[in-house]
Amino acid sequence: MNRQRSFIGFIIAGAIALLVIAIAGFYWFFGKSPANLIGSTSQPGAAIFVSKLSPVMVSLLANPDRLQALEREEELSKLKTSLFAKSGIDYKQDIQPWLGDEITLAITTLDIDRDLENGQQTGYLLALATKQPEKSREFVELLFSKRALAGANLAVEQYKGVKLIYDNQEVITEEKIQNYLAGAVVGEGFVLFANDPKVLRDAINNVQAPDLNLTSSPEYQKATRQLPKGGLAVAFLNLPIVAKWQGLELAEQLYNSQIISLALNPKGLLAETTFLTSSEIVPPSAPLSKPVGALQYIPASAGLAISGSNLSNLGNSDLAKLWRQGTATIYGSEDVVSRLAKPLADIQKGWGINLPEDIFSWVQGEYAIALLPEKEQTTSHWIFVVEKSEGVEQGVARLDAIASSNGLSINPLTIDKQKISAWTELITATKKSDAKEGASFSIETKVRGLHTTFGNYEIFTSDLETMNEILITKDNSIIDNPNFKDSIAAIPLPNQGYIYLDWTKSQNLLERQVPILKLVEVLGKPFFNNLRSLTVSSYGTETRSLKGGVFFKLHNS
């Protein structure tokens, strides 16, 4: 393959990598530079080139060189050197002088020529903001002259006042289809690259006929109103077209679009997202103005903690519908979902219960769920705390009845003067002995679960050790954990509660449940190496949008 002709592939991969590395470098920012790094604008200017039918647009709203201060191991420098070395271009000399404060990558069309008989060829558009148009024109000329010297057959065209330079497509081969490059400088603001001149022509048409471009889309306009000021990166997804791109027909589709923004926070990085719909949103529960009291019974050692209120209508809520639509769009099946929920599935299978019917249905007050990993991180202990409310007493009695029907005994215990009910099972164990005497047997009691009433809460645990830790460490709960306190402080109030994940404690457990996570970690190694925890929450009060955020707390922040 001619290396010059693969430039578009390198530059698209580089644009994505710059966004990833920008996030990965944020952990170093706070310990290295007191400057306030924010995006130069709240919205991508390149949206005027992108069709309103585009499935995805991603933008970095800061010059990559401004992110240089975030580096610890010079990831950005290494990337830029290797990326442009393959094209014979020197980044510092040929690009740095004119590159502005925006890099936008968009999938403009699912099929460039709209001819299904010759297969589907996705259109890609890369827009680079320029602060020196003349120098950027010199760069485009230089780039294509190098391709010509390497043997490329080029074509030059004037289209609606814009000079287009691109690979001649007279002789079409599979290699050329994959490595077409077209470029142009449009007006005084942007340098455009695409994998086909048709994509550039469409981009110019979108500017000159504003009703065609993304900025004229009512859905996009509603989405951008949700953007916070000073975001460093933003992504917009047209969800029905994303599903079509993936070849999916969704059985249930509630949300039409999604917008994501990344912004710095004094304690880490906040990724906010809003899903928009034409229907009214039904929240799973009333918003909470403070963390639930059930968290006081979750030890600080927890690797995963989930808290909120009212699980009784969770399955029919718009949050649940979003989960089903999102996972189907991304994965195309529920295989990954089942892996993510495997601990819950194991509980259901082992106990012979249906979580929504046998537990969630009577949890109308506060709740907290937690996993405490073993030191070897091979297994985990669970905790379930429920606020006393109407139906809880009957719900507990129902669980006792299910335990009895499964052959378990309900035995009273006392730990530190606290009365506890334990679900136990008698197990026979065989011991080796002299051959003449034969095998000897002993009977052991295996605890399958426990529950107790403490204050205004009913507490369930998987084992005695976990229950004991709750009782003897009441003054060392997760709400006193500085890392947890910093994380939830970054999430706006009121909200629907929190999902808090301590990455260092849960990494091994998650990797076993979701093997593809290991690949993701390799691709984002600088980020995951410095990830301390992440916290997810849903918040916002608008009736036709679902807003939430993920706060990434990083080391040295």
Side-chain angles (χ1 to χ4, degrees):
M1 180 184 296
N2 189 310
R3 289 191 303 170
Q4 294 293 333
R5 297 188 180 183
S6 60
F7 180 76
I8 188 65
F10 291 127
I11 204 165
I12 288 175
I16 296 172
L18 282 172
L19 296 177
V20 173
I21 291 176
I23 299 170
F26 289 161
Y27 77 94
W28 183 239
F29 173 77
F30 293 102
K32 197 167 184 177
S33 172
N36 185 21
L37 184 61
I38 61 175
S40 58
T41 179
S42 61
Q43 298 182 27
I48 60 173
F49 301 109
V50 180
S51 166
K52 63 172 65 175
L53 299 178
S54 165
V56 180
M57 182 182 74
V58 182
S59 301
L60 175 65
L61 301 178
N63 189 293
D65 293 317
R66 294 180 63 202
L67 305 180
Q68 203 77 26
L70 307 182
E71 295 186 68
R72 193 173 205 172
E73 298 176 357
E74 300 182 346
E75 289 92 353
L76 284 173
S77 296
K78 292 175 183 177
L79 172 66
K80 290 181 288 191
T81 299
S82 62
L83 173 64
F84 295 105
K86 298 176 187 290
S87 63
I89 296 296
D90 182 284
Y91 172 82
K92 189 171 184 179
Q93 177 180 321
D94 300 323
I95 298 178
Q96 190 179 57
W98 58 264
L99 186 60
D101 292 333
E102 179 180 336
I103 297 175
T104 289
L105 176 64
I107 296 172
T108 59
T109 177
L110 302 185
D111 191 10
I112 294 174
D113 63 6
R114 299 175 178 84
D115 185 355
L116 297 179
E117 293 184 1
N118 61 6
Q120 181 173 293
Q121 185 189 359
T122 304
Y124 294 94
L125 179 70
L126 179 69
L128 308 174
T130 175
K131 55 189 178 183
Q132 296 189 38
E134 285 305 317
K135 284 192 175 294
S136 56
R137 287 188 178 90
E138 292 173 5
F139 165 73
V140 174
E141 297 283 350
L142 173 65
L143 170 63
F144 281 94
S145 67
K146 287 180 177 292
R147 293 172 72 85
L149 290 172
N153 185 17
L154 303 180
V156 179
E157 171 189 341
Q158 287 289 331
Y159 184 76
K160 296 186 177 181
V162 179
K163 181 180 179 181
L164 311 183
I165 308 177
Y166 51 86
D167 295 329
N168 196 317
Q169 304 178 18
E170 291 179 359
V171 180
I172 298 177
T173 65
E174 185 64 27
E175 179 181 323
K176 287 188 176 181
I177 289 175
Q178 294 177 0
N179 296 289
Y180 281 153
L181 176 64
V185 179
V186 182
E188 300 294 310
F190 283 93
V191 177
L192 304 184
F193 290 105
N195 61 333
D196 193 290
K198 295 185 184 73
V199 175
L200 289 186
R201 295 188 196 107
D202 287 343
I204 295 168
N205 292 339
N206 290 335
V207 176
Q208 297 187 356
D211 59 318
L212 298 177
N213 67 45
L214 193 57
T215 59
S216 68
S217 164
E219 201 70 22
Y220 180 74
Q221 293 171 4
K222 286 191 294 183
T224 53
R225 286 197 289 268
Q226 303 293 327
L227 289 174
K229 292 182 178 180
L232 280 173
V234 62
F236 176 76
L237 291 84
N238 189 325
L239 297 178
I241 301 179
V242 170
K244 184 179 178 181
W245 180 33
Q246 299 297 311
L248 301 173
E249 292 185 9
L250 301 180
E252 182 176 22
Q253 181 173 296
L254 175 65
Y255 297 93
N256 304 317
S257 61
Q258 176 187 8
I259 196 159
I260 306 167
S261 68
L262 300 177
L264 286 174
N265 177 285
K267 297 293 184 179
L269 174 70
L270 179 63
E272 283 197 320
T273 185
T274 302
F275 294 87
L276 293 109
T277 175
S278 54
S279 304
E280 285 205 15
I281 294 294
V282 179
S285 61
L288 302 168
S289 58
K290 61 181 181 179
V292 300
L295 285 168
Q296 65 187 299
Y297 299 106
I298 303 300
S301 58
L304 171 68
I306 303 172
S307 62
S309 67
N310 192 6
L311 286 171
S312 62
N313 70 333
L314 182 62
N316 295 320
S317 70
D318 292 311
L319 193 61
K321 293 177 183 178
L322 170 63
W323 174 260
R324 291 192 290 270
Q325 179 180 334
T327 51
T329 301
I330 296 171
Y331 303 113
S333 71
E334 296 186 357
D335 291 341
V336 174
V337 181
S338 62
R339 285 185 177 273
L340 288 170
K342 190 174 184 300
L344 295 180
D346 290 344
I347 292 174
Q348 289 191 112
K349 183 178 179 181
W351 282 60
I353 61 173
N354 180 291
L355 286 175
E357 294 180 6
D358 297 326
I359 296 181
F360 294 173
S361 61
W362 48 266
V363 179
Q364 298 181 8
E366 296 178 359
Y367 68 87
I369 305 169
L371 293 179
L372 281 67
E374 289 274 20
K375 293 181 180 179
E376 296 80 12
Q377 295 188 323
T378 55
T379 60
S380 58
H381 306 299
W382 55 262
I383 301 169
F384 182 37
V385 183
V386 185
E387 182 184 21
K388 287 281 191 178
S389 62
E390 184 180 355
V392 170
E393 186 174 342
Q394 294 90 333
V396 174
R398 183 175 180 178
L399 289 180
D400 283 340
I402 292 173
S404 291
S405 67
N406 287 330
L408 301 180
S409 300
I410 303 172
N411 298 308
L413 299 174
T414 301
I415 300 178
D416 194 26
K417 299 181 181 180
Q418 178 70 26
K419 294 182 178 179
I420 296 168
S421 294
W423 298 311
T424 62
E425 179 182 12
L426 296 179
I427 300 174
T428 58
T430 305
K431 294 183 179 180
K432 291 183 179 180
S433 60
D434 187 275
K436 293 181 180 179
E437 298 179 3
S440 62
F441 297 90
S442 63
I443 296 177
E444 298 179 356
T445 301
K446 179 72 174 180
V447 176
R448 296 299 186 185
L450 309 96
H451 66 90
T452 186
T453 300
F454 204 96
N456 196 38
Y457 296 89
E458 189 74 16
I459 303 174
F460 301 82
T461 67
S462 57
D463 51 79
L464 282 167
E465 292 80 4
T466 303
M467 181 66 79
N468 184 61
E469 184 174 355
I470 293 173
L471 298 176
I472 66 175
T473 60
K474 292 188 293 291
D475 298 327
N476 187 28
S477 70
I478 196 170
I479 57 176
D480 300 312
N481 182 334
N483 188 41
F484 179 78
K485 292 169 71 174
D486 287 344
S487 297
I488 64 172
I491 302 294
L493 287 169
N495 57 50
Q496 297 291 333
Y498 308 101
I499 299 175
Y500 171 79
L501 177 70
D502 188 307
W503 177 249
T504 56
K505 295 175 183 176
S506 305
Q507 180 179 0
N508 289 351
L509 183 64
L510 287 171
E511 287 174 345
R512 286 192 301 277
Q513 302 296 341
V514 190
I516 196 174
L517 185 59
K518 291 184 179 180
L519 175 60
V520 176
E521 290 173 44
V522 171
L523 296 176
K525 185 176 179 181
F527 176 72
F528 284 97
N529 282 351
N530 295 281
L531 177 61
R532 187 168 182 176
S533 66
L534 62 88
T535 306
V536 183
S537 185
S538 172
Y539 46 87
T541 57
E542 295 192 17
T543 58
R544 298 186 186 275
S545 65
L546 181 63
K547 189 171 186 177
V550 183
F551 178 70
F552 300 91
K553 184 166 176 58
L554 307 165
H555 290 292
N556 296 332
S557 64

